[in-house]
Amino acid sequence: MEETGAQGLRGAVYDFALFDKSRAAPLADRRLNELTYVVFDTETTGLLPSQGDEIVQIAALRVVGGRLLEAERLEMLVDPGRSIPAASTRVHGITQAMVAGAPGIAEAGRQLHDFARGAVLVAHNAPFDMAFFHKHADAIGRRFDNPVLDTVLLSAVLFGLTEEHRLDALCVRLGVILPEEQRHTAMGDALATGRVFVKMLGMLSAQGFDSFGQVHDEMKKQMRLYRR
């Protein structure tokens, strides 16, 4: 969906339990490049999951050994079970006709959960995307209790709170090029996030953040960014 606000933070969602230390503890001493990550993005009917907005598209990619595996992907349309506002369609191009017959969030959520089994989840503004899966956890029948990294907060770790942290800005800063027609699609934004994230992994290691626990702790220190 369209990024909004000064820092491009979508929706007033502050689920800080996503970043509980208990989630990271089993991986704390693992080196960053030893882990498997699943980078994902969603397109939605709007910006307020707590007020009835729903997912219309999901895309995910794996990062293994510090490399983005663009061929290992999950991509699907999702029937939101409600109308898609015209304003949202203008952003992501997804219409009511396109989602007719697509799986609902219960099946789509299970597919993403299976794809991400044993991986660290990575998203740009992760609390927004994760809120949709958490609110449908009973229907999905799975709990998304994976450790989570957020490229918004990682950007703050690397570049400071006062810098611009929108995905477009990070792509420009890190030299990630994505065709304009792919922006604001779930796969296009997942690709952009994945390419940004891989570059961030190298930068974090260069700054002495070698373990997952170190990075997770530094990321948590930046959560005030979401409260601004």
Side-chain angles (χ1 to χ4, degrees), residues 150-160 164-165 170 173 200:
D150 182 353
T151 51
V152 172
L153 298 179
L154 293 178
S155 175
V157 170
L158 289 167
F159 306 115
E164 179 64 76
H165 303 299
L170 287 176
R173 185 178 299 139
M200 285 180 163

Side-chain angles (χ1 to χ4, degrees), residues 53-75:
D53 281 315
E54 300 290 352
I55 289 173
V56 298
Q57 191 177 43
I58 299 171
L61 298 151
R62 282 199 180 88
V63 173
V64 180
R67 295 176 55 244
L68 180 63
L69 306 182
E70 297 188 9
E72 292 196 22
R73 59 176 61 193
L74 174 72
E75 184 176 14

Side-chain angles (χ1 to χ4, degrees), residues 11 26 41 63 83 87 110-111 150 166 174 185-187:
D41 187 72
V63 173
S83 62
R110 285 191 287 271
Q111 289 192 41
D150 182 353
R166 291 182 305 111
L174 297 176
T185 68
M187 183 52 73

